[in-house]
Amino acid sequence: MEKKKIVFIMNPISGTISKAGIPKLIERYLDHNAFDYEIKLTAYAGHATELATEAKEHHVPIVVAVGGDGTVNEVARAIVHSPTALGIIPCGSGNGLARHLLLPLNITKAIQIINACKIHQLDYGIINGHPFFCTCGMGFDAFISHKFAEAGKRGPITYVENVLRGGLSYKPETYEIRDENGTTRLKAFLISCANASQYGNNAYIAPQASMSDGLMDIIVMQPFGVLDAPQISIEMFNKTLDKNSKIKTFKCKQLHIHRDKPGYIHYDGDPVMTGEDINIELKAKGINIIVNPNGDKRLRKPNAVQNAAADLFNQFNDLRHDIHRQSRHIQAINKTILRRLNL
């Protein structure tokens, strides 16, 4: 059997861990009876795309992104609609696509997945000309992506710091949304379009999303108060965000969004400034990706305890809102009585 060629494209500075030992692990654990390989290091933004394009043009059957979601995006965008397959050795700060695909974060185990070489044709999306493979969006999550990029430091702590700081001051925007079923105008904290289920770090923005259904999951987070924030955070990590009354979800293939002013969008966490009009579309089965042959898709879904906790939270939230409404009603009655009594 003829050996397959693999090009490993490694970003030496992405993520929060050192990659100095990865070449030795590849040499030790890659199946040399099945594969020949070479490792190429990126030197600047966009370099991974150039290297992956070169590999594709030389008919290399497998290109492996060694890094985080940014490196994965750069490599993947170069090989869409080609026979070349994407492999991933996840070592970024979020690893959203790898986590959705149930790929191991352990380097040795990730190499063993490449040895198994199980390839599926999966979907990807495009937002204003920028391919995305996990999520894209606008509003608060694009604002946070911009702040995260400015921060320099990486990792979940930096992300949480920016979320907490930004969330206190961020103002929801008004959007006009048009899909195959019509047009809606609404105010939203964020709009996320998900090809995969999570942002990264197991924060599930779209627990029901699939990369093989030919549809995007659209998540509209309506404006919410300070008291709602803890519940939303817990549900995101419990894979039950779609149960929250502040979250509206639907599926579509194409989406046009108009907003009142230019602003940031993000694609797989990378922020970019764009205009008032945003076009998003899904490309079904547009990329070949090496998947985990033993991945259990049930791990993407909430378990019975998480579902029960979400139901309890929502019941408590409904009760809290009812009490708040009744309290405001009583206060209004009291004010009316006091006015009539001239007190």
Side-chain angles (χ1 to χ4, degrees):
M1 185 177 68
E2 185 178 354
K3 291 183 180 181
K4 290 183 177 180
K5 175 73 178 292
I6 298 180
V7 172
F8 291 88
I9 298 177
M10 185 165 74
N11 182 345
I13 61 171
S14 68
T16 57
I17 62 172
S18 171
K19 300 179 186 63
I22 292 179
K24 289 183 178 179
L25 291 174
I26 293 172
E27 172 63 27
R28 180 175 178 181
Y29 291 104
L30 189 69
D31 183 353
H32 297 285
N33 292 320
F35 305 107
D36 287 322
Y37 78 96
E38 64 178 315
I39 298 173
K40 297 187 176 183
L41 302 182
T42 63
Y44 48 83
H47 195 194
T49 299
E50 295 173 11
L51 295 172
T53 300
E54 181 183 5
K56 177 188 67 176
E57 290 174 348
H58 285 85
H59 308 291
V60 173
I62 300 168
V63 178
V64 177
V66 185
D69 287 324
T71 305
V72 170
N73 183 289
E74 283 198 23
V75 171
R77 67 193 298 137
I79 61 173
V80 295
H81 306 292
S82 81
T84 300
L86 170 71
I88 302 173
I89 295 180
C91 41
S93 54
N95 303 310
L97 187 58
R99 289 177 190 270
H100 173 85
L101 293 170
L102 305 171
L103 300 177
L105 301 186
N106 176 278
I107 304 299
T108 300
K109 292 180 179 179
I111 295 169
Q112 291 168 350
I113 295 295
I114 294 167
N115 286 336
C117 202
K118 179 75 171 178
I119 297 173
H120 284 180
Q121 282 188 311
L122 298 176
D123 306 337
Y124 78 100
I126 300 175
I127 178 169
N128 277 16
H130 301 282
F132 67 94
F133 303 87
C134 203
T135 64
C136 73
M138 63 219 68
F140 184 67
D141 61 341
F143 171 79
I144 289 300
S145 294
H146 171 58
K147 292 296 182 185
F148 191 60
E150 282 186 333
K153 294 188 297 181
R154 292 284 176 173
I157 293 176
T158 302
Y159 188 82
V160 170
E161 285 176 351
N162 280 299
V163 168
L164 292 176
R165 278 202 202 95
L168 295 175
S169 59
Y170 187 81
K171 303 297 183 186
E173 295 183 63
T174 299
Y175 300 92
E176 185 177 274
I177 303 174
R178 184 175 75 244
D179 70 349
E180 299 97 314
N181 297 314
T183 302
T184 305
R185 187 173 175 84
L186 48 76
K187 184 173 283 189
F189 192 68
L190 66 83
I191 299 175
S192 184
C193 304
N195 182 43
S197 57
Q198 60 166 284
Y199 287 137
N201 291 310
N202 289 324
Y204 285 79
I205 184 65
Q208 306 302 323
S210 167
M211 292 183 68
S212 58
D213 63 355
L215 296 168
M216 298 180 290
D217 283 46
I218 313 302
I219 301 89
V220 178
M221 186 178 291
Q222 297 175 325
F224 58 87
V226 174
L227 294 176
D228 296 305
Q231 179 185 349
I232 289 173
S233 300
I234 291 169
E235 288 174 340
M236 188 176 290
F237 286 96
N238 271 352
K239 312 169 194 172
T240 55
L241 187 64
D242 53 333
K243 291 177 174 287
N244 192 288
S245 62
K246 296 291 183 182
I247 305 297
K248 304 301 179 187
T249 64
F250 62 96
K251 292 177 180 282
C252 67
K253 292 182 180 179
Q254 292 186 321
L255 195 66
H256 175 81
I257 298 175
H258 178 80
R259 56 188 175 184
D260 294 335
K261 59 183 179 180
Y264 281 96
I265 59 172
H266 82 87
Y267 54 97
D268 290 340
D270 280 340
V272 61
M273 177 65 74
T274 191
E276 295 93 339
D277 291 291
I278 302 158
N279 291 295
I280 308 120
E281 61 178 321
L282 189 90
K283 298 292 187 180
K285 300 188 184 305
I287 184 168
N288 295 309
I289 300 182
I290 294 177
V291 300
N292 184 349
N294 302 313
D296 186 351
K297 294 180 180 180
R298 291 175 297 181
L299 296 175
R300 299 188 192 126
K301 307 298 181 184
N303 58 36
V305 173
Q306 290 168 326
N307 274 321
D311 290 340
L312 182 62
F313 267 121
N314 284 319
Q315 289 172 15
F316 174 77
N317 199 41
D318 290 342
L319 179 61
R320 179 169 61 80
H321 282 298
D322 285 343
I323 292 172
H324 182 64
R325 281 194 295 268
Q326 290 174 15
S327 175
R328 292 178 62 183
H329 183 60
I330 291 170
Q331 289 176 6
I333 292 173
N334 287 340
K335 287 181 180 177
T336 300
I337 292 171
L338 291 173
R339 270 200 311 270
R340 291 183 178 180
L341 294 175
N342 293 320
L343 295 177

mmCIF file of all heavy atoms in Angstrom, residues 63-100:
data_model
loop_
_atom_site.group_PDB
_atom_site.id
_atom_site.type_symbol
_atom_site.label_atom_id
_atom_site.label_comp_id
_atom_site.label_asym_id
_atom_site.label_seq_id
_atom_site.Cartn_x
_atom_site.Cartn_y
_atom_site.Cartn_z
ATOM 1 N N VAL A 63 -3.613 17.538 5.503
ATOM 2 C CA VAL A 63 -2.915 18.664 6.131
ATOM 3 C C VAL A 63 -3.420 18.773 7.563
ATOM 4 O O VAL A 63 -4.634 18.837 7.783
ATOM 5 C CB VAL A 63 -3.151 19.985 5.371
ATOM 6 C CG1 VAL A 63 -2.446 21.132 6.091
ATOM 7 C CG2 VAL A 63 -2.660 19.879 3.941
ATOM 8 N N VAL A 64 -2.506 18.782 8.518
ATOM 9 C CA VAL A 64 -2.877 18.807 9.930
ATOM 10 C C VAL A 64 -2.541 20.162 10.532
ATOM 11 O O VAL A 64 -1.392 20.616 10.455
ATOM 12 C CB VAL A 64 -2.155 17.688 10.719
ATOM 13 C CG1 VAL A 64 -2.504 17.769 12.201
ATOM 14 C CG2 VAL A 64 -2.529 16.317 10.167
ATOM 15 N N ALA A 65 -3.544 20.806 11.110
ATOM 16 C CA ALA A 65 -3.340 22.070 11.820
ATOM 17 C C ALA A 65 -2.945 21.762 13.252
ATOM 18 O O ALA A 65 -3.681 21.089 13.978
ATOM 19 C CB ALA A 65 -4.617 22.905 11.792
ATOM 20 N N VAL A 66 -1.785 22.246 13.655
ATOM 21 C CA VAL A 66 -1.295 22.060 15.023
ATOM 22 C C VAL A 66 -1.353 23.428 15.699
ATOM 23 O O VAL A 66 -0.492 24.282 15.489
ATOM 24 C CB VAL A 66 0.146 21.504 15.042
ATOM 25 C CG1 VAL A 66 0.577 21.211 16.475
ATOM 26 C CG2 VAL A 66 0.255 20.257 14.178
ATOM 27 N N GLY A 67 -2.407 23.657 16.482
ATOM 28 C CA GLY A 67 -2.588 24.962 17.101
ATOM 29 C C GLY A 67 -4.010 25.136 17.575
ATOM 30 O O GLY A 67 -4.716 24.158 17.846
ATOM 31 N N GLY A 68 -4.445 26.384 17.667
ATOM 32 C CA GLY A 68 -5.787 26.694 18.145
ATOM 33 C C GLY A 68 -6.756 26.923 17.003
ATOM 34 O O GLY A 68 -6.472 26.627 15.831
ATOM 35 N N ASP A 69 -7.919 27.485 17.336
ATOM 36 C CA ASP A 69 -8.971 27.675 16.341
ATOM 37 C C ASP A 69 -8.547 28.621 15.220
ATOM 38 O O ASP A 69 -8.987 28.474 14.082
ATOM 39 C CB ASP A 69 -10.242 28.192 17.014
ATOM 40 C CG ASP A 69 -10.941 27.112 17.827
ATOM 41 O OD1 ASP A 69 -10.920 25.949 17.392
ATOM 42 O OD2 ASP A 69 -11.491 27.428 18.893
ATOM 43 N N GLY A 70 -7.692 29.578 15.529
ATOM 44 C CA GLY A 70 -7.211 30.483 14.487
ATOM 45 C C GLY A 70 -6.367 29.752 13.457
ATOM 46 O O GLY A 70 -6.525 29.950 12.248
ATOM 47 N N THR A 71 -5.461 28.893 13.919
ATOM 48 C CA THR A 71 -4.635 28.091 13.014
ATOM 49 C C THR A 71 -5.494 27.124 12.222
ATOM 50 O O THR A 71 -5.311 26.944 11.010
ATOM 51 C CB THR A 71 -3.570 27.325 13.810
ATOM 52 O OG1 THR A 71 -2.804 28.241 14.600
ATOM 53 C CG2 THR A 71 -2.641 26.562 12.888
ATOM 54 N N VAL A 72 -6.451 26.486 12.901
ATOM 55 C CA VAL A 72 -7.369 25.566 12.221
ATOM 56 C C VAL A 72 -8.114 26.296 11.109
ATOM 57 O O VAL A 72 -8.237 25.784 9.989
ATOM 58 C CB VAL A 72 -8.356 24.940 13.231
ATOM 59 C CG1 VAL A 72 -9.458 24.176 12.502
ATOM 60 C CG2 VAL A 72 -7.624 24.016 14.199
ATOM 61 N N ASN A 73 -8.608 27.496 11.391
ATOM 62 C CA ASN A 73 -9.338 28.262 10.383
ATOM 63 C C ASN A 73 -8.443 28.588 9.192
ATOM 64 O O ASN A 73 -8.859 28.435 8.034
ATOM 65 C CB ASN A 73 -9.896 29.544 10.998
ATOM 66 C CG ASN A 73 -10.728 30.348 10.007
ATOM 67 O OD1 ASN A 73 -10.211 30.945 9.074
ATOM 68 N ND2 ASN A 73 -12.035 30.363 10.230
ATOM 69 N N GLU A 74 -7.218 29.015 9.458
ATOM 70 C CA GLU A 74 -6.308 29.374 8.373
ATOM 71 C C GLU A 74 -6.016 28.180 7.466
ATOM 72 O O GLU A 74 -5.958 28.318 6.242
ATOM 73 C CB GLU A 74 -4.997 29.935 8.937
ATOM 74 C CG GLU A 74 -5.081 31.369 9.424
ATOM 75 C CD GLU A 74 -3.705 32.010 9.554
ATOM 76 O OE1 GLU A 74 -2.756 31.543 8.890
ATOM 77 O OE2 GLU A 74 -3.582 32.983 10.319
ATOM 78 N N VAL A 75 -5.805 27.019 8.064
ATOM 79 C CA VAL A 75 -5.520 25.820 7.272
ATOM 80 C C VAL A 75 -6.773 25.374 6.528
ATOM 81 O O VAL A 75 -6.741 25.104 5.322
ATOM 82 C CB VAL A 75 -4.992 24.684 8.179
ATOM 83 C CG1 VAL A 75 -4.902 23.371 7.397
ATOM 84 C CG2 VAL A 75 -3.628 25.056 8.754
ATOM 85 N N ALA A 76 -7.896 25.306 7.243
ATOM 86 C CA ALA A 76 -9.128 24.770 6.663
ATOM 87 C C ALA A 76 -9.612 25.605 5.487
ATOM 88 O O ALA A 76 -10.074 25.058 4.473
ATOM 89 C CB ALA A 76 -10.210 24.687 7.738
ATOM 90 N N ARG A 77 -9.521 26.925 5.588
ATOM 91 C CA ARG A 77 -10.041 27.783 4.523
ATOM 92 C C ARG A 77 -9.301 27.549 3.208
ATOM 93 O O ARG A 77 -9.839 27.810 2.129
ATOM 94 C CB ARG A 77 -9.964 29.247 4.949
ATOM 95 C CG ARG A 77 -8.552 29.785 5.098
ATOM 96 C CD ARG A 77 -8.504 31.120 5.817
ATOM 97 N NE ARG A 77 -9.216 32.129 5.074
ATOM 98 C CZ ARG A 77 -10.040 33.019 5.597
ATOM 99 N NH1 ARG A 77 -10.266 33.026 6.900
ATOM 100 N NH2 ARG A 77 -10.630 33.923 4.858
ATOM 101 N N ALA A 78 -8.062 27.058 3.302
ATOM 102 C CA ALA A 78 -7.264 26.834 2.099
ATOM 103 C C ALA A 78 -7.639 25.552 1.371
ATOM 104 O O ALA A 78 -7.342 25.409 0.179
ATOM 105 C CB ALA A 78 -5.784 26.805 2.456
ATOM 106 N N ILE A 79 -8.290 24.604 2.049
ATOM 107 C CA ILE A 79 -8.499 23.282 1.446
ATOM 108 C C ILE A 79 -9.973 22.937 1.237
ATOM 109 O O ILE A 79 -10.306 21.797 0.911
ATOM 110 C CB ILE A 79 -7.809 22.190 2.284
ATOM 111 C CG1 ILE A 79 -8.377 22.137 3.706
ATOM 112 C CG2 ILE A 79 -6.299 22.410 2.325
ATOM 113 C CD1 ILE A 79 -7.855 20.971 4.528
ATOM 114 N N VAL A 80 -10.880 23.917 1.446
ATOM 115 C CA VAL A 80 -12.301 23.629 1.205
ATOM 116 C C VAL A 80 -12.506 23.259 -0.259
ATOM 117 O O VAL A 80 -11.773 23.720 -1.144
ATOM 118 C CB VAL A 80 -13.197 24.828 1.601
ATOM 119 C CG1 VAL A 80 -13.129 25.075 3.105
ATOM 120 C CG2 VAL A 80 -12.813 26.085 0.833
ATOM 121 N N HIS A 81 -13.500 22.400 -0.488
ATOM 122 C CA HIS A 81 -13.860 21.959 -1.839
ATOM 123 C C HIS A 81 -12.661 21.359 -2.587
ATOM 124 O O HIS A 81 -12.449 21.622 -3.774
ATOM 125 C CB HIS A 81 -14.470 23.113 -2.638
ATOM 126 C CG HIS A 81 -15.631 23.762 -1.950
ATOM 127 N ND1 HIS A 81 -16.842 23.120 -1.758
ATOM 128 C CD2 HIS A 81 -15.762 24.981 -1.367
ATOM 129 C CE1 HIS A 81 -17.668 23.925 -1.109
ATOM 130 N NE2 HIS A 81 -17.043 25.059 -0.847
ATOM 131 N N SER A 82 -11.863 20.591 -1.853
ATOM 132 C CA SER A 82 -10.738 19.883 -2.466
ATOM 133 C C SER A 82 -10.649 18.491 -1.850
ATOM 134 O O SER A 82 -11.234 18.233 -0.792
ATOM 135 C CB SER A 82 -9.434 20.646 -2.229
ATOM 136 O OG SER A 82 -8.911 20.379 -0.937
ATOM 137 N N PRO A 83 -9.900 17.577 -2.472
ATOM 138 C CA PRO A 83 -9.742 16.238 -1.881
ATOM 139 C C PRO A 83 -8.909 16.232 -0.604
ATOM 140 O O PRO A 83 -8.947 15.254 0.155
ATOM 141 C CB PRO A 83 -9.038 15.446 -2.994
ATOM 142 C CG PRO A 83 -9.253 16.229 -4.243
ATOM 143 C CD PRO A 83 -9.328 17.664 -3.824
ATOM 144 N N THR A 84 -8.137 17.284 -0.370
ATOM 145 C CA THR A 84 -7.268 17.325 0.815
ATOM 146 C C THR A 84 -8.093 17.368 2.084
ATOM 147 O O THR A 84 -9.046 18.156 2.190
ATOM 148 C CB THR A 84 -6.343 18.555 0.754
ATOM 149 O OG1 THR A 84 -5.536 18.475 -0.424
ATOM 150 C CG2 THR A 84 -5.429 18.614 1.969
ATOM 151 N N ALA A 85 -7.728 16.538 3.054
ATOM 152 C CA ALA A 85 -8.461 16.452 4.322
ATOM 153 C C ALA A 85 -7.737 17.208 5.423
ATOM 154 O O ALA A 85 -6.503 17.273 5.452
ATOM 155 C CB ALA A 85 -8.643 14.990 4.735
ATOM 156 N N LEU A 86 -8.527 17.776 6.334
ATOM 157 C CA LEU A 86 -8.014 18.501 7.491
ATOM 158 C C LEU A 86 -7.880 17.554 8.682
ATOM 159 O O LEU A 86 -8.818 16.845 9.040
ATOM 160 C CB LEU A 86 -8.965 19.640 7.860
ATOM 161 C CG LEU A 86 -8.707 20.358 9.188
ATOM 162 C CD1 LEU A 86 -7.443 21.216 9.092
ATOM 163 C CD2 LEU A 86 -9.904 21.210 9.592
ATOM 164 N N GLY A 87 -6.702 17.540 9.293
ATOM 165 C CA GLY A 87 -6.521 16.903 10.585
ATOM 166 C C GLY A 87 -6.245 17.977 11.626
ATOM 167 O O GLY A 87 -5.819 19.085 11.283
ATOM 168 N N ILE A 88 -6.503 17.682 12.885
ATOM 169 C CA ILE A 88 -6.304 18.679 13.942
ATOM 170 C C ILE A 88 -5.554 18.052 15.115
ATOM 171 O O ILE A 88 -5.953 16.995 15.629
ATOM 172 C CB ILE A 88 -7.649 19.239 14.450
ATOM 173 C CG1 ILE A 88 -8.443 19.865 13.310
ATOM 174 C CG2 ILE A 88 -7.415 20.277 15.559
ATOM 175 C CD1 ILE A 88 -9.855 20.297 13.698
ATOM 176 N N ILE A 89 -4.474 18.703 15.521
ATOM 177 C CA ILE A 89 -3.859 18.433 16.819
ATOM 178 C C ILE A 89 -4.123 19.676 17.658
ATOM 179 O O ILE A 89 -3.483 20.714 17.471
ATOM 180 C CB ILE A 89 -2.356 18.149 16.706
ATOM 181 C CG1 ILE A 89 -2.127 16.851 15.928
ATOM 182 C CG2 ILE A 89 -1.720 18.052 18.094
ATOM 183 C CD1 ILE A 89 -0.666 16.468 15.762
ATOM 184 N N PRO A 90 -5.112 19.612 18.551
ATOM 185 C CA PRO A 90 -5.552 20.826 19.247
ATOM 186 C C PRO A 90 -4.612 21.216 20.384
ATOM 187 O O PRO A 90 -4.366 20.441 21.299
ATOM 188 C CB PRO A 90 -6.931 20.426 19.787
ATOM 189 C CG PRO A 90 -6.871 18.939 19.936
ATOM 190 C CD PRO A 90 -5.919 18.438 18.887
ATOM 191 N N CYS A 91 -4.097 22.415 20.306
ATOM 192 C CA CYS A 91 -3.277 22.928 21.403
ATOM 193 C C CYS A 91 -3.418 24.444 21.495
ATOM 194 O O CYS A 91 -2.442 25.164 21.714
ATOM 195 C CB CYS A 91 -1.826 22.501 21.277
ATOM 196 S SG CYS A 91 -1.131 22.544 19.633
ATOM 197 N N GLY A 92 -4.641 24.925 21.315
ATOM 198 C CA GLY A 92 -4.936 26.340 21.469
ATOM 199 C C GLY A 92 -5.521 26.625 22.839
ATOM 200 O O GLY A 92 -5.511 25.785 23.738
ATOM 201 N N SER A 93 -6.092 27.807 22.977
ATOM 202 C CA SER A 93 -6.676 28.196 24.263
ATOM 203 C C SER A 93 -8.132 27.779 24.389
ATOM 204 O O SER A 93 -8.635 27.578 25.485
ATOM 205 C CB SER A 93 -6.555 29.716 24.454
ATOM 206 O OG SER A 93 -7.126 30.403 23.357
ATOM 207 N N GLY A 94 -8.838 27.617 23.264
ATOM 208 C CA GLY A 94 -10.251 27.260 23.313
ATOM 209 C C GLY A 94 -10.573 25.916 22.685
ATOM 210 O O GLY A 94 -11.337 25.126 23.214
ATOM 211 N N ASN A 95 -9.976 25.659 21.500
ATOM 212 C CA ASN A 95 -10.139 24.384 20.787
ATOM 213 C C ASN A 95 -11.601 24.042 20.529
ATOM 214 O O ASN A 95 -12.022 22.903 20.722
ATOM 215 C CB ASN A 95 -9.453 23.249 21.561
ATOM 216 C CG ASN A 95 -7.975 23.509 21.805
ATOM 217 O OD1 ASN A 95 -7.241 23.838 20.885
ATOM 218 N ND2 ASN A 95 -7.549 23.374 23.050
ATOM 219 N N GLY A 96 -12.365 25.034 20.077
ATOM 220 C CA GLY A 96 -13.797 24.835 19.897
ATOM 221 C C GLY A 96 -14.137 23.759 18.882
ATOM 222 O O GLY A 96 -14.969 22.888 19.143
ATOM 223 N N LEU A 97 -13.493 23.790 17.696
ATOM 224 C CA LEU A 97 -13.823 22.807 16.669
ATOM 225 C C LEU A 97 -13.381 21.414 17.097
ATOM 226 O O LEU A 97 -14.112 20.435 16.926
ATOM 227 C CB LEU A 97 -13.168 23.193 15.342
ATOM 228 C CG LEU A 97 -13.568 22.322 14.146
ATOM 229 C CD1 LEU A 97 -15.081 22.350 13.919
ATOM 230 C CD2 LEU A 97 -12.834 22.759 12.883
ATOM 231 N N ALA A 98 -12.192 21.300 17.660
ATOM 232 C CA ALA A 98 -11.698 19.996 18.107
ATOM 233 C C ALA A 98 -12.608 19.401 19.180
ATOM 234 O O ALA A 98 -12.908 18.200 19.154
ATOM 235 C CB ALA A 98 -10.276 20.138 18.648
ATOM 236 N N ARG A 99 -13.058 20.228 20.094
ATOM 237 C CA ARG A 99 -13.941 19.735 21.155
ATOM 238 C C ARG A 99 -15.282 19.277 20.571
ATOM 239 O O ARG A 99 -15.823 18.256 20.994
ATOM 240 C CB ARG A 99 -14.154 20.816 22.212
ATOM 241 C CG ARG A 99 -12.926 21.107 23.079
ATOM 242 C CD ARG A 99 -13.225 22.249 24.033
ATOM 243 N NE ARG A 99 -12.053 22.728 24.728
ATOM 244 C CZ ARG A 99 -11.610 22.274 25.907
ATOM 245 N NH1 ARG A 99 -12.260 21.293 26.506
ATOM 246 N NH2 ARG A 99 -10.536 22.795 26.470
ATOM 247 N N HIS A 100 -15.815 20.048 19.622
ATOM 248 C CA HIS A 100 -17.072 19.621 18.995
ATOM 249 C C HIS A 100 -16.903 18.269 18.302
ATOM 250 O O HIS A 100 -17.793 17.412 18.358
ATOM 251 C CB HIS A 100 -17.553 20.652 17.979
ATOM 252 C CG HIS A 100 -18.736 20.179 17.187
ATOM 253 N ND1 HIS A 100 -20.031 20.299 17.640
ATOM 254 C CD2 HIS A 100 -18.810 19.532 15.983
ATOM 255 C CE1 HIS A 100 -20.855 19.756 16.752
ATOM 256 N NE2 HIS A 100 -20.137 19.284 15.744
#
